[in-house]
Amino acid sequence: MKILIVDDFSTMRRIIKNLLRDLGFNNTSEADDGNTALPMLQAGDFDFLVTDWNMPGMEGIDLLKAVRADEKLANLPVLLVTAEAKKEQIVEAAQAGVNGYVVKPFNAATLKEKIEKIFERIEASK
Amino acid sequence: MALSESILSERCLEQARGLVSSIESGDEGKAVDHLREISRLNETKMFQEIGRLTRELHDTLVGFGIETEISELAEHEIPDARERLSHVINVTDQAAHKTLTAVEEAIPVCSELEASASHIEIQWKRFISRDLSADEFRELSREIGSHLEISADRYTKIKLYLNDILMAQDFQDITGQIIRRVITLVQDVEDKLVGLIKLSGDLDSDLPKATKKPVEKVLEGPQVPGKESATALKSQDEVDDLLSSLGF
């Protein structure tokens, strides 16, 4: 499973990378905003996208929308991990087709639970 | 009552004439009175001028919306920045303590494993060089057994402490986002103060355009205790509930 981690803070990317490794996902790549992430997604065979929302350049919500609008990427599972906690934002992300939403600060168990849930759903819908 | 400038000038001239004639006639007392009156009239003129400039400055500030913006800064935005920065101190304090606690808990566990392994190693070397009695060998195999027994448990513990240290580093992202907002605010204050200095330095020439109120950013970043948005959810559980109400 190949995962792309997108966050403008390199410390947060490392935290998520380590947590994913702990969950058995060793094949991860990193990008620092949507503008860098989108070409990587289009060029690579990623199976999962974990992205922050508030980033300079292209924000996570716009990356999500771009992914859903891209024929090749439209079904890519996307998990938002963000400090944005307002109701209207969560609704916006849901409407844009997010697969999971984790609010920062989060703990390892929450991230694990959300990722597992996303993959359970995908399996179930196959 | 403010006196008009022409009346003030006329009175000054009157007093000056009086002064000349009283000096010519040698009336010193009267000359001093005239001098006093002239300086009083001058002061009146000066105060009127200061009053006029102050009014002009005030009107210009109001006209360019700068006064309200500055009072907005002083009343809301600077206290807001102060609270955000205090929250940064709290978050970094918690992260540092979380890390230190994990290290303090993990070190004795490592020492325990280290001591047990070193002791076994010494005895094992003696065993290899056939230097161990049967009783000592029985003791050694008991030690190896208990070392193996505790190892798995202790390594799991150490991994948990390391995980705590890993998660504690999320403060950098959280505080970074908060500090970025404060930097934007400081920039805003700087721009407004520069605008104010330009205005008061030269009221009549090349007035700067009214500084635009910063566009209210939709993204708020981490919620700060005491400053939470009305619609901000308080926990991951609330987020999960909202999502499941949306069919997730």
Side-chain angles (χ1 to χ4, degrees):
Chain A
M1 163 111 45
K2 201 172 161 191
I3 303 175
L4 182 63
I5 304 163
V6 191
D7 200 305
D8 52 333
F9 281 91
S10 58
T11 43
M12 184 48 72
R13 293 201 299 272
R14 284 178 70 181
I15 291 174
I16 295 174
K17 185 181 171 170
N18 277 286
L19 290 174
L20 289 173
R21 195 178 47 214
D22 218 32
L23 296 174
F25 303 113
N26 291 301
N27 191 1
T28 52
S29 301
E30 298 175 33
D32 60 5
D33 84 323
N35 289 328
T36 336
L38 194 57
M40 287 173 80
L41 290 168
Q42 283 161 342
D45 46 349
F46 285 97
D47 303 293
F48 187 38
L49 169 63
V50 180
T51 182
D52 182 22
W53 183 318
N54 193 355
M55 295 178 286
M58 191 198 276
E59 290 179 353
I61 189 73
D62 297 321
L63 176 62
L64 169 64
K65 289 172 184 168
V67 163
R68 291 290 173 256
D70 186 306
E71 209 179 316
K72 208 182 129 217
L73 300 173
N75 293 316
L76 181 73
V78 180
L79 176 68
L80 262 168
V81 180
T82 171
E84 303 304 325
K86 280 165 81 178
K87 193 177 167 184
E88 47 271 38
Q89 289 167 326
I90 296 159
V91 171
E92 186 186 352
Q95 284 165 349
V98 82
N99 298 80
Y101 198 107
V102 173
V103 179
K104 292 174 186 172
F106 59 96
N107 58 44
T110 304
L111 187 74
K112 181 171 188 267
E113 183 196 319
K114 300 303 163 205
I115 291 175
E116 281 170 354
K117 213 167 161 188
I118 289 172
F119 288 111
E120 268 170 35
R121 285 235 176 81
I122 291 169
E123 280 307 309
S125 66
K126 268 182 185 168
Chain B
M1 270 299 268
L3 295 173
S4 84
E5 244 172 72
S6 57
I7 295 177
L8 275 172
S9 307
E10 211 170 289
R11 286 198 186 166
C12 271
L13 193 61
E14 216 174 88
Q15 293 298 324
R17 283 196 187 112
L19 176 66
V20 172
S21 68
S22 45
I23 290 171
E24 279 170 355
S25 62
D27 188 345
E28 263 184 45
K30 216 169 181 191
V32 170
D33 286 346
H34 283 299
L35 269 175
R36 283 208 184 107
E37 184 60 16
I38 290 173
S39 72
R40 194 189 63 80
L41 287 168
N42 255 333
E43 277 172 17
T44 310
K45 259 171 108 174
M46 188 178 73
F47 286 130
Q48 281 186 6
E49 183 64 9
I50 291 172
R52 188 186 62 80
L53 283 172
T54 310
R55 261 194 313 281
E56 243 179 65
L57 177 63
H58 178 255
D59 291 348
T60 318
L61 292 180
V62 170
F64 282 83
I66 287 180
E67 198 193 56
T68 42
E69 285 186 15
I70 286 179
S71 64
E72 169 72 14
L73 277 175
E75 278 173 41
H76 302 290
E77 294 180 36
I78 288 175
D80 181 84
R82 213 167 43 218
E83 278 177 55
R84 285 177 195 279
L85 291 177
S86 302
H87 183 57
V88 167
I89 296 178
N90 291 339
V91 171
T92 50
D93 178 78
Q94 282 164 16
H97 280 295
K98 202 168 160 188
T99 306
L100 291 170
T101 305
V103 170
E104 283 166 3
E105 301 275 342
I107 284 176
V109 180
C110 291
S111 305
E112 184 195 6
L113 286 172
E114 187 187 27
S116 155
S118 326
H119 188 251
I120 289 169
E121 197 204 359
I122 294 166
Q123 295 300 85
W124 184 253
K125 276 182 180 154
R126 286 185 61 209
F127 169 70
I128 295 293
S129 48
R130 298 170 191 282
D131 200 15
L132 221 56
S133 69
D135 277 351
E136 282 174 319
F137 180 74
R138 269 191 291 278
E139 176 59 20
L140 173 62
S141 62
R142 197 193 54 77
E143 273 181 30
I144 291 174
S146 76
H147 180 78
L148 293 175
E149 213 177 285
I150 62 163
S151 287
D153 170 69
R154 302 301 191 269
Y155 284 122
T156 308
K157 269 193 182 155
I158 292 169
K159 259 178 78 178
L160 287 176
Y161 295 134
L162 290 175
N163 198 54
D164 282 349
I165 294 172
L166 176 81
M167 290 311 296
Q169 308 314 307
D170 71 352
F171 80 91
Q172 207 270 330
D173 175 3
I174 305 287
T175 58
Q177 292 191 50
I178 295 171
I179 291 172
R180 269 188 195 160
R181 292 181 72 85
V182 175
I183 290 173
T184 310
L185 173 84
V186 171
Q187 177 70 54
D188 201 29
V189 172
E190 187 186 330
D191 292 347
K192 279 171 190 167
L193 289 179
V194 168
L196 184 67
I197 288 163
K198 276 190 192 156
L199 266 184
S200 54
D202 194 351
L203 278 173
D204 300 321
S205 74
D206 207 15
L207 289 167
K209 295 273 169 286
T211 42
K212 262 186 271 150
K213 184 110 185 79
V215 185
E216 197 60 41
K217 262 207 109 188
V218 189
L219 295 179
E220 292 198 329
Q223 296 293 320
V224 173
K227 307 241 59 139
E228 293 95 341
S229 290
T231 57
L233 303 185
K234 285 166 195 65
S235 66
Q236 182 67 42
D237 284 343
E238 290 190 17
V239 174
D240 294 347
D241 289 346
L242 173 64
L243 284 173
S244 68
S245 77
L246 294 167
F248 270 74

